[in-house]
Each structure stands twice: as structure tokens, then as C-alpha cells.
Amino acid sequence: MGKAEKIINLENEDVNNGSNTTNQGWTCRLVIASLFGAFSSSYLYGYNLSVVNAPTLYVKKFYNKTWNDRYDQPMEAASLMLMWSVTVSIFAIGGLVGAIMVSPLVKRLGRKGTLLLNNIFAIVASLMLALGEVAGSSEMLILGRFIIGVDAGIALSALPMYLGEISPKQIRGALGQIHSIFICVGVFTGQVMGLPELLGQESRWNYMFGIIMVPAVVQLLTLPFLPESPRYLLLEKQDAAGAQKALQAFLNKKDVSKELEEVQAEYRAQRSIHLVSMIELFKTPSVRWQIITAIVTMGCYQLCGLNAIWFYTNNILKEAGMVSNQIPYITLITGGVEILAAVVSGMIIEHVGRRPLLIGGFGAMAVFYGLLTIFLNLQTKASWLPYLSFGCILGVIASFCTGPGGIPFILTGELFEQSYRPAAFMIAGTVSWLSNFAVGLLFPFIQGAFGAFCFMVFAATCLAGAVFLYFVLPETKGKTFVEISQSFAKINRVAVSVTNEEMEWVAAKVKVENSDTQNEHGNAITETENSL
């Protein structure tokens, strides 16, 4: 009867705290943690993706002037182009370095501590980028872009890890989508700041980079007052009291015994929490297909061709007969669509699930790419066709932001249990940044070889990703990390190992969630006692 009584107690806790547990989701502390965490992480990543577009001519002019001052001769066109390409692409190299640094940082400093330390990179990068012109040093701009890339590489792994571990499973996807929303807001802000009326002028372009410091300072002032990840405290630091306080703060309730038990179930399932390395992770049979899924998802996230879309947008608008000085304002529509689609995704992800949004997003992108290819090749046949092309561009952007734009980061955190998670984010981050660099390096050659048909390459990538995820990816919505890992047991060809205590806890939990009346609770308890 001891076991049955334990189940009854767990069920009664659920009944007593039912309204809290079901509706507590968006507590004030969780919202603050996600907003301020994303402001200096996801937002800065998105901002630094778009901020380099507007001042391109001014930065090139500065490079040429610096060269001329040093060597008394203007820089050759080829050298100038190479220097600018390095300035843009070294952001991805910095991101790769940051992604590799994540695992040891989150192990030693924790999730919150890593995010706090990361602000130092943002502040240093901001100073170098903003003062490079004053110092007459083009090297400061290149080094600043590398350092802000390191900041982005760390942030894109540490923040999703932190958000995934502090949020209850019923809102884990919605909270995780704040990461994607802030990336889109950052991109849009970079576009707005680049307008001539604001900072898109020769005398002001360096201020565009100085703004990077603001989110970093804001996070330094706010994040210290927020708790560390409860899972990190309990499973890696063995700080039960600290984990309990963190859960109470995030969930805004005193009784967090059920949540602590859920974390302990993960500990018992893994037998011990030993943070594995990347090599050890690759050698672990029980997570083989989780690794493959994370690699494919993150690879498709970068290789789906969204960067190519930005390249073509201005040309398509010119073909439509729009005045060149009006195009920057019209392209703001793309940023607005990004934000709207990301917000919609965050609102529906816990109802629809990760799997449909991800597969549907990649599938829709493939369709819009096909239509865009057709319209681009018929562009000169009718004056209204460029508008259809622009519509397809908006369709690609909306499809991307609805699913593929944010869910890969959520999935990477959900597919792995505590001991595997840091190494998994390191692998996913490495794949993401290498793919990002590959697109920047190879796209000019792809575009030169295939012309408008280059989008069919990206359509094939999106379609392949959708097909793979359809056959491999299970739904992770509303599941614990242990349950998600167990859903891969069959494809990984490993036995599911769950203790009797975990089985009882999960059974009790399921009965509570499915019971609508006290009568049903009584029946569920009776059935459980009989089975015991």
C-alpha cells in the first residue's frame, strides 16, 4: 500500500495545485527571464545579421581611405571586395568558435553564468566596431565582427538551453519561440536603423554598431536577479535547496515537489549525471538518432536558402519598376512578416506541436521556391509578375519563421537529457555555423551556375529535410525529457530502462491529467492499487 499511497499523494497534489500547474505557465519571473535573456542574445544575433547591409558602401570607402593613408595608393577592387567579404563572413567563424566554447562554459559557469559572461564579448565587440573608424583601423572592424560572432555562437546555444530547462513542459515550445521572435525583431531593427533618416548615413554608420552595447548592458543589470536553471543546480551541482528555490521563483508557487520529482526521474533514468564530451556522445547508441535529427534539422535551418532570398529581394523589386531609394522601405515588409510569423508560431506551437510546424514549414518553403523559380524566369513576360515573385519571397520567409526558424533550437534542447545536452548543443551549433559559412562561401557560385534556378537547390534541401523529419521525428510537445528519449528507443535499437518508481510516478501523473472529476480520480487510484 505504500506505493499506492505515494501515487494518491501525487494525485492529490495535482488536484490541489491543478489550476496553478495548468495555468501557471507564463509567470512573471519566466517572462522576465525569457525577454531579457533573448534581448541580449537572440536579438543581437538577428541585429548583426542585417546591420552590415546598409553601411556597405561607407565601410568600403573607409577601408580604401585607411589603405591609402598607409600605403599612399588606393586599394585594388579585388582586394577591397575580399576585405569586405572577410568582414561579413568572419562573423560565422566567430560563431563556430563560440559554439565550441559552449559546453565547457555551461558546465563550469551554468546557463545563466554563461549568458552573463557572454555580454563581455558583446561590449568589447561594440567598442571595436564603433571606434574602428576613429582609430583609423580596418582591423578593428574585422576583429569586432569576429568577437560579436563568438557572442552569437555562445548565445544561440546557451539561451535555448536555459529557456528549455526553466520552463514547464506544457509551455516549453512557446517559451522557446521567444528566441526566434527576438531574432526576427533584431533583423528588423537592423533594417530600420539602416534607413537614411536614422543611422544609414556616412557620418553615422559607426553608431549602428555602437548600439550593440545596449542589450548587453541591460542583461548585465537584470539577469543576476534571476535564478539559475533548476536542472543545472540539482543534476549537475547537487544543490537541492537552490533548485527548489529556483523552481519556486520561476513557477510562483511553494509546493514544487512534483517538478523536483520529474527532474529526479531523469537522474534515475540516466543512473548518474556525467556530462559527456562530443566524442562520447557520438559513441552512445541510445542517442544516435537524436544526434542525426539535430544535425539534419540544424543543417537544413542554415542551408534552406534564406540568405539567398535577401540577396534577390532588391533585384526583384527593381525589376518591378520600383524606385531604388524606395526599396529599403519596401523591404521592411519582409522584416514585419518575419516577426508576425514568429509570433503566430509561438502562439500555436503548444496546440499544433513541433513536428507539424517543422515539416510543414520546410514543405511550404519548397513549394514557394518552386513558384519563385517559375515567376523569375517569366519575369519579363508581364509587368505584374515581379509582384508575384515578391509574394513568393514573403511566403518563403513566413514559412521559415513559422517552423524552421526557431524550432531547431527548441528540439536540440528537448531531444537530449541533462548529461548529453551541452555536447548536443555544441554539435548542433558547429553544424549551424559551418553551414552558415558554407552558404556565404558557395552561394555566389551556385547563383552564377544556375541563375534563377538556384532556388531549386534550396527547394530540394527543404524537401529532403521535411521527408527525413516525417519518418524520424516524434512529437515532443508536452513530454518530459525522459519520455522524449524513450520515444527514440526503438529506432536506436536499445531497451527502454525505467525503474518501477518512475513507472508509478508517470502512471499517476497521466491519470491526474486525464481525470476531470473527483470520481475519475477515485477510479484511477483503485485501478492502480489493483495493479500493484
Side-chain angles (χ1 to χ4, degrees):
M1 288 293 293
K3 293 180 179 178
E5 288 173 359
K6 183 177 180 180
I7 296 172
I8 293 171
N9 290 336
L10 283 169
E11 291 186 333
N12 287 336
E13 286 176 11
D14 280 343
V15 173
N16 295 333
N17 297 328
S19 57
N20 252 354
T21 304
T22 304
N23 301 320
Q24 58 82 29
W26 298 98
T27 64
C28 182
R29 198 67 66 91
L30 277 174
V31 171
I32 292 174
S34 59
L35 292 179
F36 285 105
F39 183 50
S40 186
S41 302
S42 315
Y43 174 85
L44 277 186
Y45 169 69
Y47 183 80
N48 283 289
L49 284 179
S50 63
V51 74
V52 294
N53 294 329
T56 299
L57 294 177
Y58 308 135
V59 175
K60 286 182 177 180
K61 184 177 179 180
F62 164 67
Y63 283 170
N64 194 41
K65 179 180 181 299
T66 304
W67 186 276
N68 191 62
D69 291 342
R70 290 180 184 177
Y71 305 106
D72 292 325
Q73 60 180 6
M75 184 182 292
E76 294 181 0
S79 299
L80 182 59
M81 180 58 67
L82 175 63
M83 202 166 179
W84 174 246
S85 299
V86 170
T87 304
V88 174
S89 61
I90 204 169
F91 177 73
I93 302 300
L96 177 60
V97 173
I100 294 172
M101 293 169 59
V102 162
S103 184
L105 284 176
V106 296
K107 178 181 179 180
R108 181 175 294 274
L109 303 176
R111 284 52 167 157
K112 187 184 83 168
T114 299
L115 289 171
L116 283 171
L117 176 68
N118 199 34
N119 290 304
I120 296 176
F121 291 106
I123 292 172
V124 171
S126 174
L127 291 173
M128 298 193 76
L129 289 165
L131 300 177
E133 183 189 27
V134 177
S137 172
S138 54
E139 292 82 3
M140 286 180 64
L141 266 66
I142 296 173
L143 185 58
R145 283 286 292 177
F146 172 80
I147 295 174
I148 198 63
V150 174
D151 172 88
I154 294 173
L156 290 193
S157 293
L159 179 69
M161 202 182 307
Y162 182 60
L163 295 182
E165 291 182 5
I166 68 174
S167 59
K169 64 181 182 299
Q170 64 265 28
I171 64 162
R172 195 168 55 222
L175 194 73
Q177 278 296 83
I178 290 178
H179 167 69
S180 175
I181 293 170
F182 268 77
I183 291 178
C184 298
V185 173
V187 171
F188 183 72
T189 305
Q191 292 174 331
V192 172
M193 290 298 176
L195 294 175
E197 291 81 359
L198 296 176
L199 301 180
Q201 299 180 17
E202 188 171 3
S203 60
R204 301 177 184 174
W205 64 265
N206 53 336
Y207 296 126
M208 295 178 67
F209 297 111
I211 290 175
I212 294 171
M213 187 184 299
V214 176
V217 172
V218 169
Q219 191 179 85
L220 279 174
L221 295 175
T222 56
L223 205 57
F225 299 99
L226 296 168
E228 177 58 89
S229 159
R231 288 180 174 274
Y232 170 77
L233 292 173
L234 183 60
L235 299 180
E236 296 182 34
K237 306 299 288 186
Q238 287 77 52
D239 183 2
Q244 182 176 2
K245 289 181 181 178
L247 280 170
Q248 289 171 338
F250 280 128
L251 302 183
N252 194 28
K253 64 178 184 178
K254 291 183 178 180
D255 186 4
V256 292
S257 56
K258 191 181 76 169
E259 287 77 11
L260 285 171
E261 175 61 26
E262 182 181 315
V263 180
Q264 289 287 5
E266 183 178 342
Y267 176 82
R268 291 191 296 271
Q270 292 188 268
R271 306 304 177 193
S272 65
I273 298 299
H274 161 66
L275 295 183
V276 304
S277 65
M278 287 177 60
I279 302 300
E280 290 174 315
L281 187 61
F282 278 118
K283 290 181 178 179
T284 306
S286 61
V287 293
R288 181 175 294 118
W289 278 96
Q290 289 95 309
I291 296 171
I292 295 173
T293 302
I295 290 174
V296 170
T297 307
M298 199 60 75
C300 290
Y301 166 78
Q302 291 288 1
L303 299 174
C304 65
L306 207 67
N307 290 341
I309 284 293
W310 299 125
F311 177 85
Y312 257 90
T313 300
N314 286 357
N315 289 339
I316 290 173
L317 292 175
K318 287 178 182 178
E319 289 286 340
M322 297 179 183
V323 182
S324 296
N325 58 9
Q326 294 179 347
I327 290 177
Y329 303 93
I330 298 171
T331 53
L332 292 180
I333 297 173
T334 60
V337 169
E338 269 193 305
I339 296 173
L340 179 62
V343 170
V344 170
S345 178
M347 295 172 62
I348 66 175
I349 188 171
E350 295 301 346
H351 300 285
V352 178
R354 287 74 156 141
R355 191 172 182 271
L357 288 178
L358 199 55
I359 296 171
F362 279 129
M365 288 181 74
V367 171
F368 280 116
Y369 275 137
L371 293 173
L372 180 59
T373 302
I374 294 172
F375 294 145
L376 286 176
N377 281 280
L378 298 176
Q379 192 108 304
T380 58
K381 303 296 182 181
S383 59
W384 45 267
L385 277 171
Y387 295 96
L388 291 182
S389 299
F390 185 61
C392 288
I393 287 176
L394 296 181
V396 169
I397 293 170
S399 302
F400 175 82
C401 293
T402 301
I407 294 178
F409 298 96
I410 299 172
L411 273 184
T412 303
E414 290 183 328
L415 296 182
F416 299 91
E417 296 176 36
Q418 193 77 15
S419 60
Y420 305 130
R421 197 169 294 127
F425 268 101
M426 186 188 296
I427 293 171
T430 301
V431 170
S432 175
W433 288 103
L434 284 176
S435 301
N436 184 304
F437 182 74
V439 170
L441 183 67
L442 298 177
F443 175 69
F445 299 99
I446 295 173
Q447 193 270 333
F450 298 102
F453 287 98
C454 68
F455 291 109
M456 296 309 296
V457 176
F458 301 123
T461 301
C462 293
L463 187 60
V467 171
F468 173 87
L469 294 170
Y470 179 82
F471 287 105
V472 174
L473 180 66
E475 182 53 68
T476 61
K477 178 187 70 172
K479 294 182 180 179
T480 65
F481 295 119
V482 174
E483 292 168 339
I484 294 169
S485 293
Q486 289 169 359
S487 65
F488 278 90
K490 184 176 180 180
I491 191 172
N492 283 323
R493 298 181 181 178
V494 295
V496 178
S497 176
V498 187
T499 64
N500 290 334
E501 192 175 11
E502 290 163 25
M503 290 285 287
E504 292 166 7
W505 184 81
V506 172
K509 180 171 170 294
V510 170
K511 286 173 185 170
V512 171
E513 289 177 349
N514 290 339
S515 23
D516 297 320
T517 64
Q518 186 65 35
N519 231 3
E520 289 173 347
H521 278 296
N523 293 337
I525 296 168
T526 303
E527 290 172 9
T528 305
E529 289 177 332
N530 292 336
S531 65
L532 293 172

